[in-house]
Amino acid sequence: MKKMTKTEERDLKRWCLLQEFRQSLTKELEHHPRHSSEDDPRRKLHYLDYASAILFTLFNPILKSMRGLCAASELTKVKEYVTMDKISLGSFSEAQHVFDSNALRHLVQKLSAKIHPEQLKNRSLLAGVKDLVAVDGSLFQTLTRVLWADWLDDNHKATKLHLGFSVLKQKAVDAVITSGNSCERKALLKMIEPGVMYVCDRYYGLDYEYFDELRERGALFTIRIRNKPKITVIKEYEVSKKDRNEGVISDQLVYLGDGKRELSPIRLVRTGAFNDKEILLVTSEPPEKINAALISIIYRQRWQIEVFFKWLKSILGCRKLLAESSNGVAIQMYCALIAAIMLFDLFGKKPTRRQMETVQFYFLRYATKEELDYAIEESKKSNQG
């Protein structure tokens, strides 16, 4: 069998949304400081081409490595539509230390904000809050030589994607990328937007002082805490029939902890609607603003961020890291989130594995534009139904 040493041009196809991405990033880069080397006349690889190449890799099943991408950049159509010039391994490796990932983070935030009102579901959850955002972290393993990516030990390295995922918009709205062993609570503080309701699992509820810090920053929250905490009950709120139908056991205003620390009182909703296991939820909102039944419902929406992480890794295929620096990894992660947002806008939801395969078949010219359009229209019809 003849060994394939170079990516063939017939294995690649222009991505139809790449031009839109380049236009959006061009506008965003106008508002961000440039590295001094970007104006060097000897530079051949610029930010726009570097980010476009990474995005192109995410959508093409043929390309799975930095070397494969650099080889593909020699192809005529790739140079025409993606990179504008061929990319050397040295230039690609150097670029991860030059271009600022914050430009892409801000682009994630701006693209996510462009959501049509008719796409919003569960609008009742928006009452009194700007958005409902699930927050969590997920690990992406790196090579052991990546020194900054501390995780378990020197033989187990990983980077962590701290994600804010809008349950209402079904989109990533913000993200912070750190080493694998970094604190998720600190990462959330970098994403806080006043008036947004953040829903989080138990790790975020381990430090009771953290709740006061969130409130000081204007955040709303519903956070699970450990079972059997030390509490002092200040007030019992009435639990209605509607609350009990959602599994609510009690609704109280309490002091958390042993009383030695001067913590503000906080509302505690106890629910047993999760496989007969008690769940303790603290929230910033009083009963007159959000009833206990809705607090229970809000927490149950948190699972959607887990589904998104699985989709990001398994369907979009964002597992293989093309960079080793923290900034380079961040650029790739933000590009992946931008790709997810653009796919959502195309299909009206996260595409399924079959729909993603149709997109890739289109790239490979095994599916026609009409067949891709049909898949998109069917997806939108199912959403409306």
Side-chain angles (χ1 to χ4, degrees), residues 270-326:
R270 192 184 304 265
T271 178
F274 304 88
N275 299 323
D276 298 324
K277 184 177 181 180
E278 276 196 4
I279 302 293
L280 276 63
L281 305 172
V282 295
T283 180
S284 59
E285 301 308 283
E288 53 269 22
K289 289 187 65 176
I290 300 181
N291 60 44
L294 189 51
I295 293 298
S296 179
I297 293 171
I298 284 173
Y299 181 75
R300 291 208 297 273
Q301 302 305 308
R302 201 201 68 83
W303 65 270
Q304 295 188 41
I305 193 172
E306 306 292 350
V307 174
F308 182 79
F309 278 133
K310 184 176 181 180
W311 180 87
L312 192 68
K313 294 179 178 181
S314 301
I315 308 300
L316 187 56
C318 186
R319 287 182 180 272
K320 180 68 175 180
L321 298 178
L322 302 177
E324 295 185 3
S325 72
S326 58

Side-chain angles (χ1 to χ4, degrees), residues 40 56 78 94 104 133 151 158-159 171 212 221 232 235 253 255 313 324 370:
D40 192 317
F56 182 69
V78 175
E94 180 249 8
L104 287 166
V133 174
W151 182 31
T159 185
K171 287 185 178 183
D212 284 339
F221 57 84
T232 302
K235 184 178 181 179
L253 183 67
Y255 286 116
K313 294 179 178 181
E324 295 185 3
E370 290 72 23

Side-chain angles (χ1 to χ4, degrees), residues 28 87 126 169 176 192 196 253 292 309 320:
E28 187 62 36
I87 302 174
L126 278 173
K169 299 176 184 178
V176 173
I192 290 298
V196 171
L253 183 67
F309 278 133
K320 180 68 175 180

Side-chain angles (χ1 to χ4, degrees), residues 204-348:
Y204 296 85
L206 293 178
D207 182 0
Y208 299 154
E209 292 181 353
Y210 186 65
F211 305 140
D212 284 339
E213 191 166 2
L214 290 175
R215 283 191 281 207
E216 288 173 3
R217 295 176 183 238
L220 315 180
F221 57 84
T222 295
I223 300 177
R224 183 180 177 183
I225 63 172
R226 293 172 294 183
N227 286 8
K228 300 180 180 179
K230 292 182 179 180
I231 64 170
T232 302
V233 178
I234 304 171
K235 184 178 181 179
E236 292 276 357
Y237 296 117
E238 181 183 355
V239 177
S240 67
K241 182 178 179 180
K242 181 180 179 180
D243 296 334
R244 296 194 185 281
N245 288 340
E246 292 297 337
V248 175
I249 298 171
S250 65
D251 187 4
Q252 304 167 319
L253 183 67
V254 304
Y255 286 116
L256 291 173
D258 55 15
K260 294 181 180 179
R261 294 180 293 177
E262 294 182 1
L263 301 177
S264 302
I266 196 165
R267 184 182 176 194
L268 174 65
V269 176
R270 192 184 304 265
T271 178
F274 304 88
N275 299 323
D276 298 324
K277 184 177 181 180
E278 276 196 4
I279 302 293
L280 276 63
L281 305 172
V282 295
T283 180
S284 59
E285 301 308 283
E288 53 269 22
K289 289 187 65 176
I290 300 181
N291 60 44
L294 189 51
I295 293 298
S296 179
I297 293 171
I298 284 173
Y299 181 75
R300 291 208 297 273
Q301 302 305 308
R302 201 201 68 83
W303 65 270
Q304 295 188 41
I305 193 172
E306 306 292 350
V307 174
F308 182 79
F309 278 133
K310 184 176 181 180
W311 180 87
L312 192 68
K313 294 179 178 181
S314 301
I315 308 300
L316 187 56
C318 186
R319 287 182 180 272
K320 180 68 175 180
L321 298 178
L322 302 177
E324 295 185 3
S325 72
S326 58
N327 186 68
V329 169
I331 288 175
Q332 182 176 343
M333 291 294 180
Y334 291 134
C335 281
L337 295 177
I338 290 169
I341 292 169
M342 299 181 87
L343 276 173
F344 176 90
D345 287 339
L346 194 64
F347 284 90

